[in-house]
């Protein structure tokens, strides 16, 4: 938070400290009566200390599967398990991480509004609300498939956007993405880092997210908060993202600082987001408040962070209607991402939609999905052995490693940039189609 934010800072830190204390003291409880699982924490976001034993027996795991998984995973406690563990498809959703990366484009109209907006602070409200909108999708507790090296995902027919993502590295697992329409360009280098804690996993968004608004040329960089997945083995799995989100306008020096409140006892504070838009002198200009699962609103404020007299709280974003009783809690947009409605006319053969394990899971055939997943992973290992035997290195097709290393709160990141070849590919395909 800004060093000049005054009263609003003290209030935020007091609330954050209190919530964290309640979260740690009142919600965590060890499962001590289950033989062999002493010390394993179960957290019920809707309850307190008295119902943890009951909560521990809930979830999607069968007892025998749960016990087997726990025996396998004990040795990884404290480790980064991003790609080192082979997981059963019963906990997967029929989507890859590349496709999940594309879900941030659902509310891309907010970036269009940011590009068109002449008010420098309202511009930041639109852009940061876009960044928050993805968290509704992030609360899904199913795991996406890890992409195969060189795998891609393309998306068109949404907001005038062309989107391309590629798995650019396997060890460590890294993905890059690029999107563009008439209002903005979006680039991402992602290198997720995890820490397995027994019945939970911390996910650190090691990466660089950058948006360039075309009208003004302003560059916006985003640093999201970390995420914690609770009750992986015992209890109902749920997701929380407590911490700070920072969006900085690298061109003007303006910034947005938003606090995702941690879930407290009986769900207190869960989903809540509060913060401010600051000018380059770190004075608050607009307050923002809402819930990342529902909506965000804003209101002009004074230098103390208090709402300006005569102004009203205005809604800037609200989550779209969602399908009822969807097995994987997909939004309508998530279903579009998995469909060929958002695919270009000539789809790359490496596209995630074409993965046989993903498709088998979508059709409900877990046995085939597991077999296909194992087959793909073995083919990837065999391809790696062939490259090593020939002293060859994998070269991404649509992205290039820049040599730039940028610091993040969770470690250094090797940055990949879009090389423009996908645009050339699309132009070539369009030219061939026009000749038909």
């Amino acid at each position: 938070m800004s060093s000049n934010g005054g009263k609003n800072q003290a209030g935020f830190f007091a609330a954050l400290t209190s919530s964290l204390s309640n979260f740690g003291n009142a919600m965590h409880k060890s499962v001590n009566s289950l033989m062999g699982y002493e010390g394993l924490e179960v957290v019920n976001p809707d309850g307190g200390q008295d119902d943890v034993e009951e909560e521990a027996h809930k979830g999607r795991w069968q007892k025998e599967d749960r016990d087997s998984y726990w025996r396998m995973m004990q040795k990884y406690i404290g480790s980064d398990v991003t790609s080192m563990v082979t997981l059963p498809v019963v906990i997967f959703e029929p989507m890859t991480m590349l496709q999940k990366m594309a879900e941030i484009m659902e509310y891309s109209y907010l970036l269009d509004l940011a590009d068109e907006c002449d008010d420098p602070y309202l511009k930041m409200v639109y852009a940061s609300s876009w960044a928050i909108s993805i968290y509704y999708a992030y609360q899904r507790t199913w795991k996406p498939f890890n992409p195969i090296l060189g795998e891609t995902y393309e998306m068109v027919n949404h907001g005038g956007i062309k989107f391309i993502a590629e798995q650019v590295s396997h060890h460590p697992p890294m993905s890059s993405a690029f999107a563009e329409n008439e209002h903005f360009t979006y680039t991402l280098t992602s290198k997720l880092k995890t820490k397995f804690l027994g019945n939970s996993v911390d996910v650190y968004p090691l990466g660089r997210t950058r948006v360039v608004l075309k009208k003004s040329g302003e560059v916006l960089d985003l640093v999201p908060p970390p995420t914690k997945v609770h009750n992986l083995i015992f209890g109902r799995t749920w997701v929380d993202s407590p911490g700070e989100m920072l969006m900085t306008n690298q061109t003007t020096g303006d910034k947005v600082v938003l606090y995702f409140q941690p879930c407290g006892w009986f769900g207190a504070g869960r989903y809540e987001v509060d913060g401010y838009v600051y000018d380059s002198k770190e004075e608050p200009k607009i307050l923002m408040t809402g819930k990342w699962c529902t909506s965000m609103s804003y209101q002009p404020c004074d230098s103390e962070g208090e709402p300006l007299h005569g102004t009203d709280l205005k809604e800037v974003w609200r989550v779209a209607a969602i399908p009822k009783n969807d097995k994987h809690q997909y939004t309508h947009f998530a279903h579009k991402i998995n469909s060929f409605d958002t695919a270009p006319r000539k789809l790359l053969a490496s596209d995630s939609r074409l993965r046989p394990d993903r498709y088998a899971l979508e059709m409900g055939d877990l046995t085939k999905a597991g077999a296909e997943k194992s087959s793909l992973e073995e083919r990837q290992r065999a391809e790696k052995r062939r490259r090593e035997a020939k002293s060859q290195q994998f070269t991404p097709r649509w992205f290039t490693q820049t040599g730039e290393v940028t610091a993040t709160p969770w470690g250094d990141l090797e940055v990949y940039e879009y090389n423009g070849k996908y645009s050339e590919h699309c132009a070539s395909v369009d030219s061939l189609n026009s000749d038909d």
Side-chain angles (χ1 to χ4, degrees):
M1 184 67 75
S2 163
S3 58
N4 299 319
K7 298 177 182 177
N8 51 293
Q9 294 177 31
F12 265 127
F13 281 117
L16 187 62
T17 301
S18 175
S19 295
L20 284 169
S21 177
N22 290 338
F23 185 65
N25 295 332
M27 289 187 62
H28 282 191
K29 187 174 180 181
S30 298
V31 184
N32 292 316
S33 65
L34 298 177
M35 190 65 67
Y37 303 102
E38 290 77 8
L40 202 61
E41 287 183 332
V42 175
V43 183
N44 180 1
D46 304 314
Q49 293 180 307
D50 299 331
D51 58 356
V52 173
E53 297 292 348
E54 179 183 352
E55 180 70 18
H57 291 282
K58 298 178 181 178
R60 65 175 63 113
W61 292 92
Q62 298 294 324
K63 183 182 184 303
E64 58 273 16
D65 294 332
R66 181 190 68 192
D67 294 347
S68 174
Y69 181 58
W70 172 242
R71 286 193 296 271
M72 177 185 74
M73 294 298 294
Q74 286 184 77
K75 62 183 177 182
Y76 295 112
I77 291 177
S79 301
D80 185 346
V81 292
T82 307
S83 65
M84 66 191 304
V85 180
T86 299
L87 299 172
V89 294
V90 68
I91 66 169
F92 280 66
E93 63 178 341
M95 180 182 286
T96 73
M97 182 59 75
L98 298 181
Q99 293 173 287
K100 193 153 189 170
M101 286 164 54
E103 285 193 81
I104 199 170
M105 290 296 141
E106 177 168 5
Y107 300 96
S108 60
Y109 72 87
L110 290 166
L111 290 180
D112 297 347
L113 292 174
D115 181 54
E116 294 170 346
C117 184
D118 293 325
D119 184 312
Y121 311 122
L122 185 55
K123 184 193 302 282
M124 297 298 286
V125 169
Y126 288 132
S128 58
S129 296
W130 162 79
I132 289 170
S133 69
I134 184 59
Y135 282 84
Y136 183 86
Y138 282 175
Q139 71 178 324
R140 293 201 305 266
T141 59
W142 304 91
K143 184 189 181 304
F145 286 91
N146 288 338
I148 300 298
L149 185 62
E151 184 176 330
T152 58
Y153 176 74
E154 302 174 80
M155 182 180 71
V156 295
N157 302 329
H158 175 73
I161 294 168
K162 283 189 176 180
F163 177 97
I164 178 69
E166 182 177 15
Q167 189 72 359
V168 296
S169 172
H170 183 58
H171 286 298
M174 295 182 66
S175 309
S176 290
F178 174 82
E180 183 175 23
N181 69 3
E182 62 178 322
H183 292 288
F184 67 87
T185 61
Y186 160 87
T187 55
L188 169 68
T189 300
S190 175
K191 182 184 177 183
L192 287 180
K193 185 177 180 181
T194 63
K195 186 175 182 179
F196 178 63
L197 300 172
N199 200 33
S200 64
V201 62
D202 289 339
V203 182
Y204 306 103
L206 204 168
R208 189 179 76 175
T209 301
R210 174 166 288 178
V211 173
V212 178
L213 302 176
K214 289 189 173 181
K215 181 179 177 181
S216 63
E218 290 169 77
V219 178
L220 311 179
D221 280 355
L222 174 69
V223 180
T227 293
K228 191 178 192 74
V229 184
H230 298 270
N231 300 351
L232 288 174
I233 303 169
F234 292 94
R236 293 167 295 176
T237 308
W238 62 282
V239 178
D240 200 20
S241 297
E244 179 183 286
M245 172 183 281
L246 174 65
M247 176 174 275
T248 305
N249 188 322
Q250 301 289 2
T251 306
T252 66
D254 302 333
K255 65 181 179 181
V256 182
V257 183
L258 296 169
Y259 284 98
F260 286 54
Q261 303 294 342
C263 178
W265 201 6
F266 293 105
R270 190 179 182 194
Y271 309 118
E272 292 180 7
V273 181
D274 299 284
Y276 293 90
V277 178
Y278 295 90
D279 66 13
S280 59
K281 297 178 182 178
E282 298 195 347
E283 291 190 2
K285 293 296 182 180
I286 298 179
L287 66 85
M288 296 181 65
T289 185
K291 293 187 175 182
W292 52 258
C293 64
T294 308
S295 65
M296 289 297 297
S297 298
Y298 70 96
Q299 188 172 2
C301 66
D302 61 23
S303 61
E304 295 296 314
E306 298 297 327
L308 284 179
H309 180 71
T311 64
D312 296 316
L313 197 64
K314 295 183 179 180
E315 186 174 277
V316 64
W317 164 78
R318 177 169 290 274
V319 69
I322 59 172
K324 293 183 178 180
N325 303 317
D326 191 89
K327 179 180 179 180
H328 293 101
Q329 297 91 47
Y330 276 8
T331 62
H332 291 292
F333 184 67
H335 282 291
K336 285 178 62 179
I337 281 177
N338 246 355
S339 77
F340 287 90
D341 294 340
T342 53
R345 290 179 62 181
K346 188 174 177 59
L347 188 65
L348 294 170
S350 51
D351 194 89
S352 295
R353 296 177 185 85
L354 305 178
R355 282 183 60 145
D357 52 354
R358 188 212 63 79
Y359 181 72
L361 184 60
E362 187 176 20
M363 294 296 102
D365 191 338
L366 270 67
T367 300
K368 185 175 182 181
E372 294 286 5
K373 176 175 175 288
S374 297
S375 176
L376 278 175
E377 290 168 347
E378 179 51 42
R379 285 162 57 188
Q380 179 170 232
R381 287 189 286 268
E383 179 61 28
K384 179 183 178 181
R385 290 192 293 268
R386 282 193 290 270
R387 286 197 307 272
E388 291 175 343
K390 297 179 180 180
S391 299
Q392 296 176 341
Q393 289 188 334
F394 172 79
T395 302
R397 185 176 180 184
W398 311 114
F399 296 86
T400 302
Q401 191 168 0
T402 63
E404 176 188 355
V405 177
T406 187
T408 81
W410 303 283
D412 291 341
L413 175 75
E414 306 82 20
V415 176
Y416 284 76
E417 67 178 4
Y418 175 64
N419 59 24
K421 293 181 180 179
Y422 180 71
S423 298
E424 296 172 5
H425 163 78
C426 292
S428 176
V429 170
D430 291 342
S431 177
L432 289 174
N433 288 335
S434 64
D435 293 339
D436 291 344

